[in-house]
Structure formats: structure tokens, C-alpha cells
Amino acid sequence: MTWSEMQPLLEQACLETLVMVGWSTLIAVLGGLPVGILLVLTDRGGLLQNAVLNKVLGQVVNIARSMPFIILMVALMTFTRWVTGTTIGSEAAIVPLAIGGIPFYARLVETAVREVDHGLVEAVQAMGGNAWTIVRKVLVPEALPSLISGTTTTVIALIGYSAMAGTVGGGGLGDLAVRYGYQRFESGLMWVTVAILAVVISLIQFAGDYAARALHRRGARSGPAPRLRLLKAGGPAAADVGKVA
């Protein structure tokens, strides 16, 4: 197969992979972020301590994470058909990709949020901040570099999942590699596909690491005090925070 024959196939496959990974990442982040934060808040000693909710939510996340993606796709075929009207193609692949990505990202969020200095949380509580204020003003901003790293890991994992989706007609680079590289013995196209995936993953990892380091350096320079200005300066609570800081 010549390059002129490969090019349109590769362009279409790259576009399908971009659509699948882009939408599934967005859904995974929007769904996994609150789940991960809720796992921390409802844990023992958390701001919204609730042992029953924490155990149930944790078990659901664990079960979803432990299921191999190829089995998850098959198990969700009925739901996928109900949502998209089909079980074949890149649009249909978004459903299992997103559902598989939510618990994966939720655990990364949980780990990132647990690393936040508890003293900052206590300082905001002393100022009268509620759980929502603490999440919005402390937990998420302080964990942002780790959240960026977790998002990068999730994107790379979803790229791998999207390649597996290609084995059941999900489209994208995985489908192209299977149909042409494996079934039609086009080894040249197979290696081009592998090279594209390697380059894309390397670029995503580099961009994610750079963004995380930049946010970490900016946070280190600014210090915790500016991020704790939740009440008007000069109030009694502000003085207490100054002592804690």
C-alpha cells in the first residue's frame, strides 16, 4: 500500500480517535471529579462523613475499574444502542469509553485531593467556610497540578481503550490497524499506525507534565495565603487565618 492510499485512511482514523477520546475524556472528567471528591468528603474524618455512602460509592468504583474494557463494551451494548441508536462506530464507542473512564479518573482525583494540606482546610473552617467553599477554594485549587497529571493519565488510558474499541468496529486507529494491518497483512500501515500512536501519546504526556509543573511552580511562588482570602480583609476571621498561616 502506497502513502497516497494510506493518507486518507489515516486522516479519517485519526479524526475518529480524536472524537472518541476527546468526548470520553470530557465526560470522564466531569463525572469523575465530583465522584473522587465525594469519596474524600464522605470518608472517615471527612467534611461530609458518611460511612454507608462512602462504602457503596467505593465498591461501585472498584467494580467498574476492575472490569476489562472489552467486557465492559459488550455489557453496555444495550445501553449504548439506547443512547446512540447503534453499537458500531466512533459515536457508539464514546459511551463505554466514558463510563470506563469515570471510575478510573475518580480514583486519581481521590488520590490528588487527599494530598492537600489539611491545615489549609482547618484554616478555612475556622473562617466559617462550608464544605462547598472548601472544595472550591482549597481542595480543587491546591490539587490542580495533580489533577492535571491525572487527566493526562486518563487521556492516555482512553487512547489505549479506543484502540481496543476498534476490534469491535469502534472506528479509529485501532480499527484501521485491525482491518488493514492484521486482516489484510498490510504491515506498513500497521507500523505507521503504531508510530502515530507513540508520537501522540508522547506529546500528550509532555504537555500534561509541563502544565502540571507550571501550576506547581506558580502555586509555590504564590503561597497559601492568597488562596485563603475568603472573607473581607480586616475581619476577625482574617486575623485568625493569618496566625494559622
Side-chain angles (χ1 to χ4, degrees), residues 8-227:
L9 296 173
L10 290 169
E11 289 177 353
Q12 179 65 25
C14 288
L15 179 61
E16 290 173 349
T17 298
L18 179 63
V19 170
M20 286 190 293
V21 175
W23 278 107
S24 58
T25 299
L26 178 62
I27 297 171
V29 170
L30 293 178
L33 183 62
V35 172
I37 293 175
L38 195 59
L39 284 170
V40 177
L41 296 181
T42 58
D43 199 4
R44 181 179 301 176
L47 298 173
L48 302 175
Q49 181 175 330
N50 188 320
V52 175
L53 177 60
N54 185 266
K55 288 185 179 298
V56 171
L57 193 59
Q59 285 300 317
V60 171
V61 170
N62 289 338
I63 293 172
R65 284 187 63 202
S66 64
M67 187 174 298
F69 181 70
I70 191 74
I71 297 177
L72 181 65
M73 284 194 300
V74 175
L76 290 174
M77 277 187 175
T78 302
F79 180 70
T80 300
R81 185 181 291 110
W82 179 73
V83 173
T84 64
T86 181
T87 58
I88 299 174
S90 55
E91 291 184 0
I94 293 173
V95 176
L97 282 171
I99 293 177
I102 288 174
F104 182 86
Y105 187 67
R107 283 302 185 190
L108 297 176
V109 171
E110 181 188 11
T111 301
V113 172
R114 288 190 188 280
E115 294 175 353
V116 175
D117 185 3
H118 192 67
L120 298 177
V121 176
E122 293 176 347
V124 177
Q125 285 181 306
M127 296 166 60
N130 56 22
W132 169 243
T133 301
I134 292 172
V135 169
R136 189 166 52 92
K137 294 292 187 178
V138 179
L139 296 182
V140 172
E142 289 293 323
L144 194 55
S146 296
L147 293 177
I148 295 295
S149 297
T151 303
T152 303
T153 302
T154 302
V155 172
I156 293 174
L158 289 175
I159 291 175
Y161 291 166
S162 71
M164 283 189 282
T167 63
V168 292
L173 291 169
D175 180 51
L176 182 66
V178 171
R179 285 191 295 114
Y180 287 86
Y182 178 71
Q183 296 177 351
R184 302 186 186 183
F185 303 102
E186 295 287 350
S187 57
L189 181 60
M190 171 74 81
W191 286 112
V192 171
T193 303
V194 171
I196 291 174
L197 287 172
V199 171
V200 169
I201 289 174
S202 298
L203 291 175
I204 291 173
Q205 188 67 60
F206 174 80
D209 291 344
Y210 179 82
R213 286 195 298 267
L215 287 170
H216 182 74
R217 288 195 297 267
R218 187 174 67 179
R221 286 196 302 268
S222 61
R227 294 190 289 272

